[in-house]
Amino acid sequence: QVQVLESGGEAVQAGESLTLSCTLSGLDPGMLFADYTMGWFRQAPGKEREKVSCIDWYGRSGTWYAESVEGRFTISRDNDKGTLYLNMNSLQSEDTAIYFCTADVYGLCSATWRPYYWGHGTQVTVSA
């Protein structure tokens, strides 16, 4: 069974940068990390879960960002290392949330993408 593992969450000051990482294990039979569309969601205290960003599997080249993070966050992947990244710059207190890494085989990264696999999340806390 596919397992999603996030890392990199920590407490930082407003204006600082942070990079989250995510790996997969137990891939679906015949699949490679490159075959998974990957993304990040977040959930702040008392708020609904929000899609932050996604990136297509290697056969496509699309990315998508929530308006709230566009221009500050960058999603990327290293298929050779089997790792997804979320580089977060100019962090604000509003970015405080649990960040979830997500995955889906051959998914279409878009505003409406619904991933199948989820990690347990990593906490990002931004102090003003």
Side-chain angles (χ1 to χ4, degrees):
Q1 184 174 356
V2 175
Q3 294 185 326
V4 183
L5 181 63
E6 311 95 335
S7 62
E10 63 181 74
V12 297
Q13 297 291 319
E16 292 184 342
S17 299
L18 190 63
T19 298
L20 305 181
S21 300
C22 173
T23 58
L24 303 179
S25 62
L27 302 186
D28 295 292
M31 294 295 114
L32 301 173
F33 176 83
D35 296 317
Y36 290 81
T37 291
M38 304 289 296
W40 295 94
F41 284 66
R42 69 185 180 184
Q43 188 163 21
K47 295 187 177 181
E48 293 187 356
R49 193 168 291 184
E50 171 192 25
K51 185 187 296 179
V52 175
S53 181
C54 60
I55 185 168
D56 274 320
W57 59 284
Y58 86 100
R60 303 175 59 88
S61 60
T63 58
W64 178 90
Y65 294 93
E67 186 175 337
S68 59
V69 306
E70 181 121 39
R72 299 189 298 122
F73 291 11
T74 302
I75 192 170
S76 62
R77 63 191 301 162
D78 185 332
N79 290 327
D80 291 335
K81 294 183 178 179
T83 304
L84 174 75
Y85 303 98
L86 184 68
N87 183 38
M88 305 183 290
N89 295 320
S90 302
L91 283 163
Q92 306 165 358
S93 58
E94 295 76 20
D95 296 315
T96 294
I98 299 174
Y99 284 72
F100 299 90
C101 179
T102 61
D104 187 24
V105 174
Y106 300 145
L108 175 60
C109 168
S110 68
T112 58
W113 175 60
R114 293 179 181 274
Y116 187 77
Y117 300 111
W118 290 74
H120 294 293
T122 185
Q123 177 71 48
V124 173
T125 302
V126 184
S127 301

